Amino acid sequence: MVVELFVSFSLLFLSLFFIFSITKSSKSKTPISTHLSKSYPLIGNYLDIRANWNHRVQWTSDLLLNSPSATYVLHRPLGARAILTANPANVQHTFSKHFHLYQKGELFRSTLFDFLGNGIFNADGNTWKFQRQVASHEFNTKSLRKFVETVVDTELYERLIPILSSAAANGTVLDFQDILQRFAFDNICKIAFGYDPAYLLPSLPQAKFAQAFEDSVRISSDRFNSLFWKIKRAFGIGSEKRLREAISEVRHFAVNLVKEKKEELKENSSIESVDLLSRFLSSGHSDETFIVDIVISFILAGRDTTSAALTWFFWLLSKHPEVEINIIKEIHEKSEMPVFEEVKDMVYTHASLCESMRLYPPVPTDSKLAVGDDILPDGTPVTKGNRVTYHPYAMGRLETLWGVDWADYKPERWLERDTTSEKWNFVGRDTYTYPVFQAGPRICLGKEMAFLQMKRVVAGVLSRFKVVPAAGDGVEPEFVSYLTAK
């Protein structure tokens, strides 16, 4: 701790020294361009990183868009290197071809360990591989898919639509992002635990478990830009005090649910294992810590990603009425089909969702740690200990990948007409060009579940309502990035 404290204060002193040096002669200098980043001895690009922290996703995206190779190296204090890339060949290299060389790494694991433990999104090596195999088996079952359909439709028709109907009738303005987060939280808790937190009720309650989970995500994410979080944790002060309380609430609640589910399965061994918790326990995995870690990870994955994607989707739709008309037409054409076949056949809606996530990916950046020396396909050298960050937000804005009209919201770029039937066919992009759901061995297991949920919400909402922003024309929502984007 003493060494870490010394290094932290040393960096603080150095950064203040350089700030003073630059400020003193700033009258004769041009302001720092958003397309360039100045590196200094010892502190590297630290000044620019700090100055642009609140809009770091957009800033780093600009750096990549102005790099010929779509790769940029940021120099951190004391010689550390952070490699940013929006190059599909580099993404394929790190996610697939050289997967063994790029891991979550100790920084990521230690920062999130209090919250996620050894869960699948915080694990490497055999621990990750084992959880992946177990989860992959469960996610590929038809019974889970049917359960997800039932959960989503129940939440949609018994809670979401009645709340929207009431708001429309009374002329009430709703925080739609909050509504969608509540919807997603209820869904994922039912799917993961078989537990209904009833977070999306007309009163919009402040459920203790939901608030504790929100605080755990937010404060854990803030650790990545805090020099002193370990000191605050050691003394139990500030945000770390609240984090300890929030994580304790989340894990205590989860452990009790695991115990209750064990008793339920023990008393009635013939009970149908529908939720993920029941499936894991029924398949012989009884270690409570393991089960809690993996289920908390799935709640994290399913809570904010779909709600973030849908929030941006409805905002884009409000700006593009021609797209909304096409989606409503498709909804009316498919409304008599069974649930799974309906959403499977909604190709224009699917393309519209893919297009909105191209521009506003739920996870705008993600990093891996190099555990050995390497060279990326574009020639960028990687040294053991470097962090390599792939950047879906920037990739969705590259003219070389999406054309000169990349800034346009255009679902048709994902579609082609069948010359015989005149119907649209969906044409996907490879996962290295469009890594919104990651790629390679770590590709998202819940991708199909996410699309099912999003399409059902889109169909349920747009067939009854028109969603319009409360803000005036020309006002764009702020893009906020924690572990996921909001």
Side-chain angles (χ1 to χ4, degrees), residues 41-332:
L42 296 178
I43 64 168
N45 301 102
Y46 178 76
L47 298 181
D48 279 357
I49 293 171
R50 291 294 298 174
N52 292 284
W53 186 259
N54 290 333
H55 57 278
R56 58 193 177 279
V57 172
Q58 295 89 336
W59 175 63
T60 51
S61 176
D62 280 348
L63 294 177
L64 292 171
L65 297 181
N66 285 277
S67 166
S69 63
T71 298
Y72 196 91
V73 179
L74 282 175
H75 297 274
R76 294 188 177 276
L78 302 181
R81 296 166 78 242
I83 300 166
L84 309 172
T85 188
N87 188 320
N90 290 347
V91 174
Q92 183 176 21
H93 181 89
T94 55
F95 272 71
S96 184
K97 292 181 178 179
H98 286 69
F99 175 76
H100 64 287
L101 275 180
Y102 297 91
Q103 301 181 3
K104 288 288 184 179
E106 186 53 36
L107 173 64
F108 193 94
R109 278 181 46 76
S110 62
T111 303
L112 298 180
F113 184 82
D114 291 339
F115 179 38
L116 296 180
N118 287 308
I120 191 169
F121 300 120
N122 204 36
D124 284 316
N126 291 331
T127 302
W128 167 80
K129 187 180 294 185
F130 175 68
Q131 292 186 57
R132 177 80 184 190
Q133 289 172 345
V134 173
S136 180
H137 173 74
E138 299 301 339
F139 269 85
N140 287 322
T141 60
K142 289 183 179 179
S143 57
L144 178 63
R145 188 180 70 199
K146 186 64 182 174
F147 178 59
V148 171
E149 291 174 3
T150 303
V151 167
V152 171
D153 275 10
T154 300
E155 188 76 9
L156 177 65
Y157 293 108
E158 294 184 7
R159 290 181 181 167
L160 179 60
I161 289 176
I163 285 176
L164 299 184
S165 295
S166 176
N170 298 323
T172 305
V173 175
L174 291 173
D175 180 346
F176 205 31
Q177 176 169 255
D178 178 58
I179 295 295
L180 291 170
Q181 285 176 329
R182 290 169 180 271
F183 175 86
F185 191 75
D186 279 356
N187 273 327
I188 195 61
C189 284
K190 290 178 188 175
I191 293 164
F193 280 134
Y195 164 73
D196 181 10
Y199 200 31
L200 184 62
L201 293 179
S203 62
L204 302 180
Q206 287 300 315
K208 191 175 182 182
F209 178 60
Q211 189 57 54
F213 203 96
E214 169 68 24
D215 289 347
S216 297
V217 173
R218 177 177 53 81
I219 301 172
S220 294
S221 177
D222 284 344
R223 282 179 168 182
F224 285 103
N225 63 303
S226 171
L227 289 174
F228 307 112
W229 70 264
K230 288 185 179 180
I231 296 172
K232 290 195 292 183
R233 183 180 64 174
F235 288 98
I237 58 175
S239 59
E240 287 295 318
K241 179 181 179 182
R242 172 53 191 152
L243 180 60
R244 182 181 297 174
E245 295 169 349
I247 290 174
S248 177
E249 290 175 34
V250 169
R251 299 192 76 84
H252 179 72
F253 189 84
V255 167
N256 284 339
L257 281 175
V258 171
K259 289 179 178 177
E260 290 174 10
K261 188 68 69 173
K262 278 184 176 180
E263 288 300 315
E264 183 182 344
L265 294 170
K266 186 177 180 181
E267 292 173 7
N268 187 359
S269 58
S270 63
I271 190 172
E272 184 181 3
S273 300
V274 284
D275 57 84
L276 286 170
L277 176 56
S278 296
R279 291 167 182 272
F280 288 137
L281 293 173
S282 297
S283 60
H285 303 287
S286 58
D287 182 274
E288 288 180 3
T289 302
F290 165 76
I291 295 295
V292 168
D293 285 351
I294 195 171
V295 174
I296 286 177
S297 289
F298 281 122
I299 292 177
L300 174 65
R303 187 192 73 127
D304 279 345
T305 50
T306 53
S307 61
L310 284 169
T311 303
W312 285 107
F313 168 80
F314 280 111
W315 179 74
L316 283 167
L317 217 58
S318 72
K319 305 296 181 185
H320 297 84
E322 72 285 357
V323 176
E324 184 176 21
I325 290 170
N326 288 333
I327 292 175
I328 292 171
K329 180 182 177 182
E330 183 175 68
I331 291 169
H332 290 154

Side-chain angles (χ1 to χ4, degrees), residues 16-34:
L16 289 172
F17 171 76
F18 275 94
I19 289 170
F20 175 76
S21 300
I22 295 163
T23 304
K24 198 166 75 168
S25 57
S26 62
K27 290 182 181 178
S28 62
K29 292 194 174 183
T30 305
I32 295 173
S33 167
T34 56

Side-chain angles (χ1 to χ4, degrees), residues 343-397:
V343 298
K344 183 180 178 183
D345 210 32
M346 291 172 67
V347 292
Y348 191 87
T349 304
H350 192 96
S352 302
L353 287 164
C354 288
E355 181 71 346
S356 66
M357 288 188 286
R358 174 181 71 85
L359 292 168
Y360 298 103
V363 181
T365 65
D366 194 18
S367 298
K368 297 291 185 286
L369 180 78
V371 297
D373 295 345
D374 194 18
I375 298 177
L376 298 180
D378 65 4
T380 304
V382 180
T383 304
K384 180 180 179 180
N386 288 167
R387 296 209 69 82
V388 179
T389 298
Y390 79 104
H391 208 300
Y393 183 91
M395 295 182 79
R397 288 161 167 72

Side-chain angles (χ1 to χ4, degrees), residues 467-482:
V467 181
V468 293
D473 291 339
V475 178
E476 182 171 343
E478 182 182 358
F479 189 90
V480 181
S481 179
Y482 288 111

